[in-house]
Amino acid sequence: MGMTSLQPSTEIRLQKVIAQSGVTSRRQAELLMKQGRVTVNGKTVTIMGTCVDPKRDHIKVDGRHLKPQAPDVFMMVNKPAGYVSTMKDPQDRSTIADLLDKKSVRTFPVGRLDYDSEGLLLLTNNGDVAQACLHPRFHVEKTYLVKIKGHLLEDAIQKLEQGLTLEDGPTAPARVRKVRKVAINSWIELTIHEGRNHQVKRMLQAVGHLVLKLKRTKFGPLNLGNLPLGNSRHLTDREANALRALLHEPSEPLVESPVINKKPGWAKSTKKRIVKHSSRPNQQRGSQKRLRRS
Ligand code: URA
């Protein structure tokens, strides 16, 4: 068997192309390569990291051509309360798959919303973009419109804005905006860039407020807009490109920054990330770094 390696290039790594075509996982694809079962343009390729152009090169696994790569699909759905944000539910509850047409079922949800939460849920078949949206390093902001019991006092706002400690550790600073009071309850807007389980509910509980309703209105560069509850739509090219641009974001540097406490003389220094206050999707910035493909 004539073993060979192709010239490394800026194209996509062979094991990734195989995995993306749905034949197998990336790890298994590496094994197939090691076993000499993968050919590119008729030549067996065993060298990891070999790059190919899936549109031009003829890739075969066990002598069979790979199916052409599926084009990216990006959608958003306005999830109603009473639906799980997965495609299947072992308890047989309504799922977001019930809200999509059959063609969209090959996408998967990026992150989750609680069963009783509403709002913007991104769906895609692009694993790299999904990973970037969820990875804390990319600081993708999520904005929630939240109805809480009671009225938020300045003290509570300060705690949320400074970051507070939950049982799974401290939260990053949030942005808070009072929207309106409704009798003994109120609506507020909370923006965070983490995605821990029930995070918004737990943060508000930590400052003494029960969450009565929760709706996600923004996710990174995406806005729910006036998409009706229970409806879905494909993203525009501009929105999809804004998401893809996350992959070119430079990594967030860790900087020493002082956190000034209220009491004079009580300044402490913590490792703190520079918080971006808006997603700047289309902006190409200085030193660009690709998300490492794991
Ligand atoms: N935070 C929550 O508590 N619930 C959600 O569904 C999303 C964020």
Side-chain angles (χ1 to χ4, degrees):
M1 196 184 298
M3 303 277 186
T4 187
S5 73
L6 302 182
Q7 280 301 305
S9 72
T10 54
E11 299 157 321
I12 308 175
R13 290 159 87 179
L14 182 53
Q15 59 265 47
K16 182 176 172 165
V17 175
I18 298 170
Q20 279 181 343
S21 73
V23 169
T24 184
S25 67
R26 207 172 298 187
R27 194 156 296 164
Q28 281 300 318
E30 287 173 2
L31 200 64
L32 291 172
M33 287 172 67
K34 278 189 196 139
Q35 291 169 341
R37 293 163 63 185
V38 180
T39 60
V40 178
N41 304 329
K43 290 178 179 160
T44 303
V45 179
T46 55
I47 312 263
M48 296 307 129
T50 299
C51 290
V52 293
D53 179 345
K55 290 207 183 91
R56 232 184 30 215
D57 293 317
H58 297 285
I59 304 158
K60 287 185 181 175
V61 175
D62 289 337
R64 297 171 72 171
H65 268 293
L66 284 193
K67 276 198 253 148
Q69 228 178 299
D72 279 349
V73 180
F74 292 106
M75 304 193 63
M76 70 163 80
V77 61
N78 186 353
K79 183 189 108 55
Y83 283 74
V84 284
S85 57
T86 49
M87 290 299 199
K88 283 189 188 141
D89 181 48
Q91 295 172 46
D92 231 17
R93 292 171 294 182
S94 300
T95 73
I96 48 159
D98 300 329
L99 304 169
L100 305 170
D101 61 34
K102 287 218 168 63
K103 276 190 208 143
S104 318
V105 174
R106 283 188 67 87
T107 59
F108 54 88
V110 178
R112 60 189 296 280
L113 283 171
D114 293 338
Y115 183 70
D116 56 358
S117 298
E118 290 181 6
L120 197 168
L121 190 66
L122 168 67
L123 297 143
T124 184
N125 60 352
N126 185 319
D128 286 340
V129 169
Q131 200 186 340
C133 287
L134 299 175
H135 197 290
R137 180 160 79 85
F138 288 84
H139 282 196
V140 172
E141 290 191 340
K142 296 115 195 161
T143 298
Y144 299 89
L145 189 60
V146 195
K147 187 178 186 185
I148 54 168
K149 206 170 165 96
H151 301 147
L152 207 55
L153 299 176
E154 278 315 305
D155 179 48
I157 294 178
Q158 254 182 34
K159 284 184 182 149
L160 293 165
E161 287 181 341
Q162 276 171 5
L164 37 82
T165 302
L166 301 177
E167 74 266 26
D168 52 354
T171 65
R175 290 207 308 284
V176 186
R177 189 171 72 84
K178 291 191 213 171
V179 177
R180 65 175 186 277
K181 289 180 183 171
V182 188
I184 56 162
N185 301 322
S186 39
W187 286 94
I188 62 155
E189 197 179 68
L190 193 77
T191 301
I192 58 174
H193 59 77
E194 298 163 297
R196 281 138 68 172
N197 258 358
H198 313 303
Q199 184 164 348
V200 172
K201 288 176 187 162
R202 290 191 293 134
M203 286 173 75
L204 285 157
Q205 196 175 21
V207 292
H209 294 275
L210 184 69
V211 168
L212 303 172
K213 277 190 184 167
L214 192 154
K215 175 179 184 164
R216 184 154 65 197
T217 55
K218 291 183 199 156
F219 185 92
L222 308 177
N223 248 296
L224 185 62
N226 53 11
L227 183 66
L229 195 63
N231 283 32
S232 64
R233 68 166 175 86
H234 285 271
L235 299 194
T236 62
D237 287 347
R238 198 192 175 100
E239 288 170 326
N241 287 337
L243 288 173
R244 288 189 192 101
L246 290 172
L247 302 176
H248 303 282
E249 297 265 311
S251 57
E252 296 292 325
L254 276 170
V255 292
E256 283 285 328
S257 71
V259 173
I260 311 296
N261 280 3
K262 282 252 142 196
K263 287 183 196 160
W266 281 73
K268 64 178 177 189
S269 178
T270 56
K271 286 251 177 195
K272 185 170 175 251
R273 287 187 184 276
I274 296 172
V275 178
K276 279 183 290 184
H277 283 293
S278 66
S279 309
R280 289 170 289 170
N282 283 325
Q283 218 165 320
Q284 296 292 312
R285 289 186 234 159
S287 70
Q288 297 196 345
K289 194 170 175 187
R290 278 204 150 259
L291 174 68
R292 271 205 65 78
R293 297 164 197 279
S294 55

